[in-house]
Structures are given as structure tokens and as C-alpha cells.
Amino acid sequence: MIEIKNLDFSYRQIPVFHDISTTFREGCIYGLLGENGVGKTTLLKIISGLLPPSAGTCTVDGLRSFDRNPEMLQQLVFLPDEVILPDRATPESYVLECAPFYPRFDESLFRRLMRELEVDEKRRFKEMSAGQRKKSMIAAILSLGTKYVLLDEPTNGLDIPSKSEFRRIVSSFLREDVTIIISTHQVKDVENLIDPILILSKEEVLLDAGMAEISQKISFTCDAERDESALYSEQVPGGWLQVRPNSGGEETPVNIEALFNAVLKNKNLVKQLFEQKGGNDEQ
Amino acid sequence: MDFKKQKPIYLQIAESLCQRVAAGEWKSGERVPAVREVAVSLGVNPNTVMRSYDYLCTAEIIEPRRGLGYYVADDAAGKILREQRRLFLEEEWPEVLQRMHMLGISLSELKDTE
Amino acid sequence: MMNNSFDWNRFGKLLRRDFRAIWPNFGLTMLIICMLPLFAWLFCLVVVSDPEFDIEPELRWALFIWGCTVFTAMMAPSRLYKTSNLPNRGIHFAMLPASKREKFWSMIFYCMLVCPAMVFVGGVLFDCLLSALPFGPYKQWLFETSLLFDGKNMWQVMSNTFMELGMPVAYGVFVVLVSYMFSSSVFFFTATLFRKHKVLLTLISLWLLNFVLTMFTMPIFTNFIENHPDFFDHFSNGPVVHGLLWGYMIFIAAVSLLLLWWSGRRLRNMKY
């Protein structure tokens, strides 16, 4: 479990997070959303132990992230959006170099994922396109078999068939003891994968809830006429896509992009609607 | 599978499974695909499929057998059929009737098209 | 509570991994450096017309072989661990599951010990190869004592100056070791400080530091000497001189250790 308590972080005097608390549990694929520059990558880096909190704590299985304890590092991988790789290395050499440090490394999984993503593991990185490099890295880090997988914009640069393949691969990778955090703008690429959803804004967490809770509390409908009191309305072919608090009790499929816009426009209301700390057990 | 913007995903998945049971793809007592299999083939979160399966268990369409997976319950096809009939008679048909009234179409007109 | 700060098994894996990483990053450079005896030999062969021209073994040891070794220790940290303090590229290094302590000791092991040792051996081999040739400026073996120094061995020659002051041979050895440690630790430290052009910036910084220190201390020292003209009489006193000489070396050694400790601290708290 990743626990973040009262986290403060500033970058060159500019505050990024103020008093943020949240928990990432096992067996879930978290979606981390937020506007540009709000700190999604920073949060992932803090969890990975690459940046220290200015105040507050961030622990992974009880170990402080910034200590970069080998016990923690063995269980966590972080894939940044842009990975700079040694030109002359190949995916195979790269992964075999890291493998001895990860007890749950699975070489056959690596080769299978490379096949599914259609990239040659013996080809040098410098001969690959950016998308192929990205796919290689996805295969590499998943095969290391860690409990925590942090992905920053993983679908960025992937072609359309690869995006489907990515979804299937991530779906099959989820286990009871695995936590996956995907930070992304390309919500449509992962909309049926991510559950719970965390929406970050300037210095705070606006939403931290599971899909079930979201669809129980908020409805997404396509109506002929615009409702002025809706949390968010957007004109689409066919009428108005509208986001409203769910009064009827019937669940509608969650439109994540609309949800995002609605949350940004109605911060306080959303906070009230989802007024619970941490667990969804107090339903 | 295309996720239509009407029902939550987990219900769409549940419905899809029901349709296949009703069509006879799996008979009572036969094993249905595992949660993971379905999740991977669709590229969705396994927890969502879990929710679908929980829903189907509550509706007694499928039943879990420890360590073995999920199996089609007794008379599942029958239950599905009965539920579809009920839905048609109580919800869909009245809607059609209403539209017919609006459009001024009579039942005898319909018989001609059969 | 399990102490996972240093595990020999894991350290071994790290050493193996870092060893393999030497070759693509530094292998060619090391080869070129240990070929310095060859380059010097070629240079003399081509430029000097006198076929009797010979370069003393002592000179070759001091200038070429030892020079290569020290030079390797200066280049190694920035070549082997060039990404260790860079924000994006450094992520791979930082997230490798080994403790910070293990990574630090592995760096020291390769930068200050293994790579210089390999160049040392390489240099000696090249020199011996060239000495075996019947022509050229390496007429004496490295291990011979030349006629220039009246049969004294190399360590004695090196310690000559100090021996005149009454210091033991061991002091000369100590000077060599401490100066090696100082040179390598300065560059080790600056590899964690500067992000680009590490070696160049280090050399510039050292020159600047030297310049600034001299500018400040010279006036004070000169002033002191003018006011205390009998200051140098103290220097005829043996024990004082001995004390100063040992003290100075110990001071340099302490500074080196401090730099290494500080490097470790910087690496521990490196932000990416």
C-alpha cells in the first residue's frame, strides 16, 4: 500500500502540493488525472523516491520513499513519459541487466510481451522509433514483476493497435497484490481500465473515488435540452452531454472526460458529494 | 464489443454474457470464461468484470464454484428468457405502443408487414 | 529489523553489472590512456634524431605509467557515472534496487581502484613490450634502476628530497598515496556536482580555487614574514619540520575523505 499523508511539495519556491493525503491500495488500477503542470509526474516521482516531500510523508509498504530502500525499489517500477535509453543497448540487454535485482522477474513474460507488441527485443534502441522504444520499455518493466507499477503517459506515442494491446496487457497484469497507477491525459485510451480515479488540481486532490461510487453519485446523460443547473454541459452530436448529481439511482456509464470537466468547475460540490476519507467502506 | 453510452460497462458485459447463455453457447452446468479472460480480451479492468459476475451471481444466472470458476446455473437460459419477456411486455412494448399512437399506426397495419 | 543497507549478495550483483557497464562507456578511453607509453615512444622515435636517446625508467614510471593511472582516476567518475546526477537520465541509476551505500562503494571501487589498476597494468605491459624492441628510446626495462640515480631504487629516489630532511622512505610512499587519493576524490566529488563537462569544469574550478587562495593568502603570508623575520629559523628544527610535513599530508588525506563523504551524502539525497 502506498500512503501519502499531509504531503507538501514545492518546486523552486512554487507550491505544487499542499496537505495532500491519499492511499493507493493493492489490486487496483488507479487513473491519475489533472491539468497540465498540476504535478502528476511530480507525484509519481515522489512515490518512486526520486523527489523528497517538503513536508508530510510518502511511504510504500511502510518504507519512506525518498530513502530509496532496496526493499522498496525491488517492488516498484516507474516509467517516465520520455525515457532516454543507451543507444547501443537492446531491450533484451536492458532488461537482463536489471533482472538480477528483481526477484520476480519473468523472462518468458518479457519475450511474450515483446511478441504481442510486435517489437524485436534484439534490435538496438537507436534503430527503433519512439513508439517502439516505449513499447519495449512497457514490456521490460512489466516483466520485472513488481508490486507497484507507475506509468506516466504510457499510451503517448503508441499506434492504435498497440493501444488495444496495451489495455489487454495491463488488464492481464493486474493481480490482487499489484497496484498500477496510470497518469494520463489520453483518458479515452484507458477509460475502461482505470478504477479508482484520482483528479489532482492546484495543490489539492479534487476527487479520489472508485468508478462504482462515481456512477452511483453522478449521472452522465445525453439530453435534447440543456439543463442550466447541470455540473457540466457540452454540446455533442445528438444533443447535450450533461453531468449531474445522480438523483435517480440508476447508474450511467462514466464519461471520464466530462467528469473531469465537471469536477474542475464544481470543486466544492464534488468534495461534498464524495465526502469520505480513504476507504469506500463507510457507504 | 462496443460500449454504448447507455448502461454502465459492468452491466453491458453482464448482458453480453446473458445473450450468449440464452443463445445456448453454454448450457447449465458448463463453465463460462474466467473473469481474467474476459477482462483481457476486452481490455478492461478485471474488477469491472468481477462486478459483472457478482451481478450475474445475484441474479442466479451463474454460480461460483470454489477454485474452479464460474458455471452456468440451473435453468439460466430460462431465467434470462423470462426476464427478457418481462422487460419486453412491461417496458419495451408499452413504448412501442405509445409511438404507434403518436404516429397513428394501427395494429392491422403492422400485420400487413409481417 | 532487517538491515538492508548493505547486502554482500546484492553488492556482488551490482559489481557485476557495473563491470559490464565499463566497456561501452570507458573501455576505449582506457585503452587510449594506457597507450601513452606507446605514443611517447613513437613521438621520441620520430622527433629525436639521436638513436642513443633513452628515457629513464624512473621518468617513464612517474610520467607515463603513474600519470595514466591518475588520469584514469580523474576521468572515470564522469565517464562511468555520467548520469548519476542528471534529472531524467539518472532515474534508471537511482531506481536500481541496490542500497545507496552499495552504489556508492561500487562507484569508488571502479573509479578509484579497478579502472586505474587496469590502466596501470596496461601501461606497464605496453612499456615492457616496447622495451623489448632493440631500437627506440626505451632501452632499459622499467624494473631496472637507471645509472642516473646511483643505484638507488625508485622509491628511494622519490623520497630523496624528503629523506634529506630526515623523513623515512615511508613518507614518500605516503605522499604518493595521498596525492592519488586527493586527485581521485576531487574528481569523484565534482562528478556529483557538475552536470556536464565535468572534467573540464573541475580543472577550471581547481585553477580558480588555487588562484583565489593564493591571492588571499599571499598578502597575509608576506606581511607575516615581514613582521617576523626570524620565522624561518624554526625550520632548521627537525621535529617541527617533520611534524609539518606529516601534518600537511594528513590534512590532505582528511580533505580527500571529507570530499568522498560529501559525495556520498550528495548521492544519497540526489533529486531527480
Side-chain angles (χ1 to χ4, degrees):
Chain A
M1 187 163 74
I2 298 173
E3 277 195 271
I4 295 178
K5 290 192 184 138
N6 309 111
L7 185 82
D8 274 8
F9 184 80
S10 301
Y11 179 69
R12 294 185 186 169
Q13 316 299 340
I14 303 171
V16 179
F17 300 128
H18 179 62
D19 200 25
I20 290 202
S21 300
T22 186
T23 312
F24 295 92
R25 294 200 165 77
E26 281 92 357
C28 296
I29 303 177
Y30 286 84
L32 187 60
L33 313 178
E35 296 163 291
N36 287 335
V38 91
K40 300 194 294 297
T41 305
T42 307
L43 186 65
L44 292 182
K45 283 189 174 181
I46 292 176
I47 296 172
S48 307
L50 298 168
L51 292 170
S54 311
T57 60
C58 174
T59 59
V60 176
D61 286 345
L63 298 166
R64 253 199 334 214
S65 300
F66 195 61
D67 286 348
R68 279 183 238 140
N69 224 301
E71 242 180 37
M72 176 199 110
L73 294 176
Q74 261 176 15
Q75 299 295 359
L76 191 147
V77 280
F78 168 56
L79 184 63
D81 184 14
E82 281 183 52
V83 198
I84 302 173
L85 294 161
D87 279 342
R88 272 173 293 165
T90 64
E92 185 180 46
S93 69
Y94 184 86
V95 89
L96 290 177
E97 180 211 318
C98 309
F101 299 94
Y102 294 91
R104 279 165 36 170
F105 170 64
D106 183 348
E107 187 171 344
S108 54
L109 174 63
F110 170 66
R111 298 198 192 275
R112 183 162 61 81
L113 290 176
M114 291 296 279
R115 262 200 316 275
E116 285 175 21
L117 290 165
E118 296 178 342
V119 189
D120 180 8
E121 70 249 31
K122 296 195 203 293
R123 202 147 178 240
R124 290 184 203 248
F125 284 122
K126 70 172 179 193
E127 293 164 23
M128 289 186 186
S129 68
Q132 287 173 320
R133 254 177 268 157
K134 190 103 189 209
K135 290 197 277 188
S136 311
M137 289 312 295
I138 292 173
I141 61 160
L142 288 180
S143 63
L144 294 173
T146 54
K147 271 176 71 179
Y148 300 100
V149 179
L150 276 49
L151 305 171
D152 196 4
E153 299 285 0
T155 57
N156 209 3
L158 294 189
D159 56 28
I160 297 171
S162 301
K163 290 190 201 209
S164 314
E165 202 49 59
F166 171 77
R167 279 192 284 274
R168 280 189 277 272
I169 289 171
V170 170
S171 173
S172 72
F173 193 76
L174 185 70
R175 295 208 142 49
E176 273 174 356
D177 60 342
V178 169
T179 306
I180 301 174
I181 306 178
I182 300 179
S183 157
T184 187
H185 288 302
Q186 323 291 343
V187 154
K188 288 231 185 315
D189 289 347
V190 295
E191 63 187 345
N192 292 317
L193 268 182
I194 50 180
D195 178 11
I197 293 185
L198 206 80
I199 299 183
L200 288 181
S201 180
K202 290 187 187 28
E203 305 183 39
E204 54 178 349
V205 175
L206 295 181
L207 180 70
D208 180 4
M211 288 298 239
E213 193 187 350
I214 295 172
S215 60
Q216 279 157 16
K217 292 185 174 170
I218 299 191
S219 76
F220 302 80
T221 52
C222 188
D223 308 312
E225 307 226 322
R226 186 179 176 176
D227 180 352
E228 295 298 329
S229 67
L231 294 175
Y232 174 74
S233 304
E234 185 185 324
Q235 197 162 30
V236 294
W240 289 89
L241 170 62
Q242 303 199 101
V243 182
R244 279 181 286 232
N246 190 358
S247 44
E250 245 207 54
E251 290 180 39
T252 50
V254 176
N255 181 320
I256 303 182
E257 283 184 5
L259 171 72
F260 185 81
N261 289 320
V263 167
L264 243 51
K265 286 181 80 177
N266 304 273
K267 297 184 186 180
N268 291 318
L269 184 62
V270 166
K271 277 207 197 135
Q272 279 172 22
L273 263 178
F274 290 88
E275 191 87 277
Q276 28 185 81
K277 293 237 163 214
N280 299 315
D281 348 88
E282 304 141 26
Q283 282 281 20
Chain B
M1 180 188 243
D2 181 29
F3 295 114
K4 299 189 275 278
K5 302 288 180 194
Q6 289 150 3
K7 293 208 170 71
I9 307 298
Y10 82 95
L11 282 180
Q12 292 184 39
I13 297 175
E15 257 182 36
S16 166
L17 198 106
C18 283
Q19 278 170 24
R20 292 164 80 179
V21 168
E25 198 172 323
W26 305 289
K27 310 243 179 334
S28 295
E30 275 180 30
R31 193 170 163 279
V32 296
V35 170
R36 303 196 68 82
E37 251 180 82
V38 177
V40 172
S41 65
L42 296 173
V44 302
N45 193 317
N47 294 330
T48 310
V49 180
M50 198 63 236
R51 211 172 157 212
S52 308
Y53 275 39
D54 284 343
Y55 172 81
L56 291 171
C57 287
T58 317
E60 291 179 0
I61 306 292
I62 58 175
E63 57 194 13
R65 290 194 203 164
R66 271 207 92 85
L68 296 169
Y70 289 85
Y71 288 76
V72 182
D74 289 332
D75 192 33
K79 286 180 205 152
I80 294 168
L81 197 63
R82 285 193 287 280
E83 176 62 20
Q84 303 274 30
R85 283 175 64 94
R86 185 195 68 81
L87 264 176
F88 181 80
L89 291 171
E90 288 178 24
E91 290 173 33
E92 291 171 34
W93 179 238
E95 269 179 39
V96 173
L97 272 180
Q98 205 181 32
R99 264 188 78 68
M100 279 170 64
H101 265 126
M102 262 178 54
L103 297 168
I105 301 176
S106 65
L107 279 169
S108 46
E109 264 183 87
L110 284 181
K111 265 209 159 248
D112 293 338
T113 64
E114 227 181 23
Chain C
M1 181 68 96
M2 182 182 125
N3 176 20
N4 50 33
S5 181
F6 199 94
D7 175 51
W8 282 101
N9 251 326
R10 201 168 49 213
F11 187 57
K13 289 183 193 169
L14 186 64
L15 288 178
R16 247 168 282 157
R17 179 222 172 244
D18 282 352
F19 183 74
R20 276 186 287 245
I22 295 176
W23 311 107
N25 295 314
F26 198 43
L28 191 62
T29 315
M30 283 201 293
L31 187 66
I32 294 176
I33 295 175
C34 71
M35 277 164 65
L36 183 59
L38 175 65
F39 296 139
W41 185 88
L42 277 172
F43 181 77
C44 292
L45 195 67
V46 167
V47 169
V48 177
S49 50
D50 178 10
E52 292 299 312
F53 182 72
D54 184 35
I55 308 180
E56 277 74 34
E58 285 81 2
L59 197 67
R60 279 153 40 202
W61 272 114
L63 212 57
F64 306 144
I65 314 260
W66 189 241
C68 292
T69 312
V70 176
F71 189 61
T72 311
M74 284 167 29
M75 299 289 289
S78 54
R79 288 287 175 275
L80 292 177
Y81 298 100
K82 47 177 165 278
T83 63
S84 66
N85 64 343
L86 294 177
N88 199 350
R89 295 160 176 262
I91 291 181
H92 178 58
F93 172 80
M95 303 224 47
L96 203 64
S99 74
K100 295 171 180 177
R101 210 170 274 194
E102 286 155 12
K103 288 175 189 168
F104 176 72
W105 285 108
S106 173
M107 284 170 77
I108 298 226
F109 183 66
Y110 285 108
C111 292
M112 293 175 71
L113 233 63
V114 173
C115 290
M118 288 198 283
V119 168
F120 182 84
V121 169
V124 168
L125 283 173
F126 268 110
D127 192 290
C128 289
L129 225 73
L130 296 166
S131 305
L133 295 172
F135 57 94
Y138 291 179
K139 292 186 174 48
Q140 296 168 69
W141 286 97
L142 266 183
F143 306 95
E144 285 176 41
T145 48
S146 79
L147 301 163
L148 204 62
F149 293 103
D150 302 323
K152 286 193 196 145
N153 75 33
M154 193 180 56
W155 296 109
Q156 289 168 323
V157 169
M158 209 168 42
S159 315
N160 216 25
T161 335
F162 304 116
M163 282 168 80
E164 279 169 17
L165 292 166
M167 301 291 276
V169 179
Y171 183 73
V173 178
F174 191 52
V175 169
V176 171
L177 286 172
V178 169
S179 52
Y180 175 73
M181 195 159 92
F182 182 71
S183 320
S184 50
S185 49
V186 165
F187 283 82
F188 190 86
F189 173 70
T190 56
T192 68
L193 196 65
F194 302 123
R195 290 195 171 165
K196 277 183 159 190
H197 309 299
K198 299 185 190 199
V199 175
L200 185 65
L201 285 172
T202 308
L203 293 170
I204 294 175
S205 315
L206 284 172
W207 181 85
L208 271 173
L209 197 67
N210 183 44
F211 181 73
V212 166
L213 280 175
T214 320
M215 290 297 282
F216 275 105
T217 57
M218 265 303 139
I220 300 171
F221 192 60
T222 324
N223 198 5
F224 182 78
I225 295 294
E226 277 169 14
N227 294 338
H228 299 88
D230 52 345
F231 178 68
F232 282 108
D233 295 340
H234 291 293
F235 278 82
S236 54
N237 187 353
V240 174
V241 177
H242 288 188
L244 276 174
L245 286 171
W246 279 111
Y248 182 55
M249 279 302 123
I250 291 172
F251 172 68
I252 300 288
V255 169
S256 313
L257 289 173
L258 180 76
L259 285 174
L260 287 179
W261 172 83
W262 195 355
S263 309
R265 193 149 172 276
R266 282 190 59 83
L267 285 170
R268 254 204 315 277
N269 295 323
M270 193 65 69
K271 299 184 192 177
Y272 296 91

